[in-house]
Amino acid sequence: DIQMTQSPSTLSASVGDRVTVTCRASQSIDSWLAWYQHKPGKAPKFLIYGASRLESGVPFRFSGSGSGTEFTLTISSLQPDDFATYYCQHYNSYPYTFGQGTNLEIK
Amino acid sequence: EVQLLESGGGLVQPGGSLRLSCEASGFSFRSYAMSWVRQAPGKGLEWVSVINYSAGTTDYADSVKGRFTISRDNSKNTLFLQMDSLRAEDTAVYYCAKAQSSVTTTALDSWGQGTLVTVSS
């Protein structure tokens, strides 16, 4: 199985900051990577697919990059609504594992 | 607007069974693959199972293989997850999620609110 490792596990930041979350795959997954935002008690929200393609309606301050085994999610200027947990997920081969999550909290 | 409404969660004893349903609306259900994803208390998201648009292809996480069965009724726009031989570690919120296309090798672009399954004596 492909393992997905996110870092950091927790990230403290302020409104307006630029933040980056890293996701590493245990083997190459090409660009078969998605990012999701999840808030407690809510449905996860789909942000990015194909490692760098922004889902329709997602603000342009979100961006993704990478291929192979190293990926990043960047939020260019944090907004109050962005504080949440972020997950990467590969869909290269079964099982489609998620990273352990990055909790983005207010500093 | 895509809507996914899960139901069927509840309290069940270890070794018991439960059947989850996910009623879909707002899109052509029969044209898309679907998945189940769960989140145990205090833990992250865990992919559970996937089924393609025609139910011809399914797959499961190792943790549920042989105990859970995914299925769908395209005439009723409904996805199911039959869960047998339940264990305490299956306690989680179970989410239904829509794939981006008919095949299973895509990301999950819409999610339901989830239904809580608690396995305890």
Side-chain angles (χ1 to χ4, degrees):
Chain A
D1 296 357
I2 298 173
Q3 307 302 316
M4 307 300 293
T5 303
Q6 283 182 238
S7 61
S9 295
T10 303
L11 181 56
S12 298
S14 302
V15 172
D17 285 353
R18 178 186 178 91
V19 298
T20 297
V21 178
T22 298
C23 179
R24 291 186 173 85
S26 59
Q27 64 189 72
S28 177
I29 57 170
D30 294 327
S31 295
W32 301 113
L33 185 96
W35 289 96
Y36 305 89
Q37 177 193 70
H38 193 203
K39 297 180 180 180
K42 298 291 186 73
K45 179 183 178 181
F46 180 48
L47 299 175
I48 287 168
Y49 64 101
S52 61
R53 300 186 177 193
L54 202 64
E55 168 69 347
S56 176
V58 175
F60 292 118
R61 63 181 180 272
F62 290 90
S63 63
S65 65
S67 66
T69 62
E70 296 270 338
F71 304 88
T72 59
L73 170 71
T74 299
I75 309 173
S76 60
S77 179
L78 274 174
Q79 299 302 301
D81 190 50
D82 299 339
F83 293 96
T85 300
Y86 292 84
Y87 294 92
C88 62
Q89 182 205 22
H90 85 83
Y91 47 101
N92 179 73
S93 60
Y94 301 128
Y96 295 165
T97 47
F98 289 86
Q100 80 275 21
T102 294
N103 180 28
L104 178 54
E105 61 181 29
I106 300 174
K107 183 185 287 185
Chain B
E1 178 190 3
V2 172
Q3 292 196 3
L4 300 169
L5 184 61
E6 302 94 338
S7 62
L11 176 63
V12 61
Q13 292 188 339
S17 297
L18 215 53
R19 190 193 199 203
L20 304 184
S21 299
C22 172
E23 188 174 339
S25 61
F27 66 103
S28 179
F29 179 76
R30 63 179 67 247
S31 299
Y32 291 89
M34 299 291 294
S35 277
W36 288 97
V37 176
R38 69 185 181 183
Q39 184 177 35
K43 303 294 186 180
L45 298 175
E46 179 188 14
W47 177 82
V48 173
S49 183
V50 64
I51 187 167
N52 78 335
Y53 72 104
S54 65
T57 301
T58 61
D59 212 307
Y60 302 89
D62 288 344
S63 57
V64 306
K65 198 170 292 184
R67 301 186 299 121
F68 289 12
T69 303
I70 192 171
S71 62
R72 64 192 297 160
D73 185 339
N74 286 344
S75 68
K76 296 182 178 179
N77 292 345
T78 304
L79 175 73
F80 302 101
L81 185 67
Q82 176 67 40
M83 304 186 296
D84 298 320
S85 302
L86 282 162
R87 307 166 179 168
E89 54 264 36
D90 295 317
T91 294
V93 174
Y94 285 74
Y95 296 99
C96 160
K98 169 188 167 291
Q100 286 182 289
S101 76
S102 61
V103 298
T104 57
T105 52
T106 62
L108 304 172
D109 63 6
S110 296
W111 297 60
Q113 294 286 337
T115 186
L116 176 62
V117 172
T118 303
V119 184
S120 175
S121 55

